[in-house]
Amino acid sequence: MINETALLESRTLRSDILEHTDALDRVKALSLLPDGMHVTTAMVATYFQVTAEAVRQLTKRHREELESNGMTVLRGADLREFESDNMSLSLASYPQARRSLTIYSRRAVLNVAMLLRDSEVARQVRVYLLDMEHLARTQPVENPSPTDTSAQDARIDQRITHILGRTVVPMFNALIATSGEHRRELIELRTDIENVERKLCWHHKRLATLEGDTPADDVRAKLKAMTWQAFEHHVADLLRRDGCVDVVVRQARTDRGIDITGRTADGRTVAVQCKNRSGRSTVPSADMQKFAGAARAIDHVDVALFVATCNFSHESQAVAKLSGVVTVNREELEAWSAGVLLKALQ
């Protein structure tokens, strides 16, 4: 089992478990800026119950690692734009003449937790991560062999997965939306159920592979055959499957680049742009700029998704990163359609 000292000293070990950002909220609620994605140095210090100077010194020592995991220093026009979208926090806490602002993604905050030695909160996060890593390593993995009953097992897995995705998870979403003091417990229970659903999807995929089927090709073919209207409804169904509520497909010419709206189970607003393009075409930066402007500047949504059946140009990816738009390219869309949960919605 990996020990805490090894985690503090090995960047490779830290990288292996940086996806588990849910560990932050399992230990203590992490408050975010109005954009729903970032925190400032002062907010990181408050979460870990240390001084802001301690966080700044750690940032200097591990700048390259933290920047690779979502820490960004904003200056100039980028800083002014970010502050205009987060006025309520920035004006109350910082001087007007500020020249730069360091912000951290949830992944970067988790990275800090694995580097910060003199914080009890950071230690608790590391303990939680190590416990989860130990369970993942020690849990027995079954290796099913193709038998006469494998097809029947696959049908059972699909039926159970359908029941979990269509009934149990939506039930928990409804309870979470109306609950008060038990909200955290309900979210944890829903996560456990989603993990079961994910394992069943994995099990079904292995059985299909052993039997010679190619699920990925089937998903790809279905997406390719969709009209743009059918594609938007498909994405809306994926949103609902992942727990979103009040999902509306606009399908109007006056949508300002927003095709679908909704809310996540925890109340965050969602806006989606869908692009159904075949061949080797890519999403140009102009389309991304239009959507980012509508989602961020006009509607001020919490989660902005750009979903495409193709890939994104380098310019459009740069615009998405700068404006906080989550891109879902062809490969990610196929995985999402095959049953993988979209992390941006969790």
Side-chain angles (χ1 to χ4, degrees):
M1 178 178 176
I2 301 174
N3 59 44
E4 190 176 349
T5 301
L7 190 62
L8 286 164
E9 297 176 354
S10 172
R11 178 173 176 176
T12 300
L13 293 178
R14 293 192 292 271
S15 298
D16 289 342
I17 53 178
L18 269 172
E19 296 299 325
H20 302 294
T21 56
D22 60 310
L24 297 168
D25 293 313
R26 294 299 179 94
V27 173
K28 180 183 176 183
L30 176 65
S31 298
L32 300 173
L33 286 167
D35 68 354
M37 296 182 293
H38 297 98
V39 296
T40 64
T41 299
M43 295 168 73
V44 174
T46 299
Y47 177 84
F48 290 114
Q49 298 176 352
V50 297
T51 64
E53 181 59 27
V55 177
R56 281 192 286 268
Q57 290 301 321
L58 182 140
T59 298
K60 290 180 180 178
R61 295 194 300 271
H62 302 277
R63 178 173 296 277
E64 190 273 332
E65 178 181 348
L66 289 168
E67 286 182 340
S68 69
N69 289 311
M71 186 190 79
T72 305
V73 180
L74 301 175
R75 296 183 176 87
D78 291 341
L79 174 59
R80 290 191 294 273
E81 181 180 357
F82 185 85
E83 284 191 315
S84 69
D85 293 335
N86 295 271
M87 287 292 233
S88 59
L89 270 85
S90 60
L91 289 182
S93 306
Y94 300 98
Q96 294 281 352
R98 177 174 51 202
R99 296 181 179 178
S100 66
L101 174 66
T102 303
I103 57 175
Y104 305 74
S105 66
R106 288 175 60 87
R107 185 182 174 96
V109 176
L110 184 62
N111 200 163
V112 171
M114 289 187 275
L115 293 167
L116 195 57
R117 295 175 181 269
D118 300 324
S119 166
E120 177 59 24
V121 175
R123 190 194 68 80
Q124 291 177 21
V125 173
R126 291 194 293 270
V127 169
Y128 178 85
L129 288 169
L130 293 173
D131 286 346
M132 292 301 98
E133 187 275 340
H134 177 68
L135 286 174
R137 286 174 178 266
T138 57
Q139 184 176 359
V141 177
E142 296 182 2
N143 296 307
S145 58
T147 66
D148 293 337
T149 61
S150 61
Q152 181 180 0
D153 291 341
R155 287 193 296 271
I156 293 173
D157 285 347
Q158 284 183 304
R159 184 170 178 80
I160 294 174
T161 301
H162 175 81
I163 293 172
L164 290 174
R166 297 290 184 180
T167 60
V168 179
V169 172
M171 178 189 71
F172 273 106
N173 291 336
L175 288 172
I176 291 168
T178 58
S179 66
E181 58 181 297
H182 299 298
R183 183 171 180 273
R184 179 182 291 273
E185 289 82 358
L186 288 169
I187 291 175
E188 291 177 356
L189 284 172
R190 184 189 65 182
T191 300
D192 292 338
I193 291 174
E194 288 172 342
N195 288 336
V196 172
E197 182 184 3
R198 191 179 300 111
K199 289 180 181 179
L200 285 170
C201 289
W202 172 84
H203 180 58
H204 172 65
K205 183 178 180 180
R206 290 195 62 184
L207 284 175
T209 302
L210 289 170
E211 293 171 357
D213 295 333
T214 53
D217 290 342
D218 184 49
V219 170
R220 191 174 298 118
K222 289 180 179 178
L223 289 171
K224 188 176 181 179
M226 290 180 184
T227 64
W228 67 269
Q229 296 95 333
F231 179 55
E232 289 182 4
H233 281 287
H234 172 69
V235 174
D237 288 340
L238 293 177
L239 292 170
R240 296 185 186 100
R241 187 204 67 192
D242 282 10
C244 291
V245 296
D246 298 337
V247 177
V248 176
V249 180
R250 296 187 175 187
Q251 290 195 339
R253 298 301 179 188
T254 58
D255 57 14
R256 300 196 305 269
I258 297 177
D259 297 320
I260 305 170
T261 58
R263 291 186 297 110
T264 62
D266 56 5
R268 289 172 294 155
T269 54
V270 179
V272 186
Q273 166 72 52
C274 300
K275 284 294 179 185
N276 187 5
R277 293 182 173 177
S278 59
R280 297 185 177 182
S281 61
T282 59
V283 175
S285 60
D287 288 353
M288 184 63 70
Q289 290 171 5
K290 177 183 177 183
F291 174 62
R296 294 302 188 202
I298 300 175
D299 290 351
H300 300 289
V301 298
D302 299 318
V303 182
L305 296 178
F306 200 122
V307 184
T309 55
C310 58
N311 293 319
F312 295 83
S313 69
H314 293 300
E315 293 80 6
S316 65
Q317 287 177 331
V319 174
K321 183 177 180 180
L322 183 62
S323 57
V325 173
V326 178
T327 58
V328 180
N329 62 23
R330 179 176 58 196
E331 182 178 345
E332 293 164 334
L333 172 62
E334 290 172 1
W336 190 21
S337 300
V340 176
L341 297 176
L342 196 63
K343 293 181 181 180
L345 302 175
Q346 305 306 306

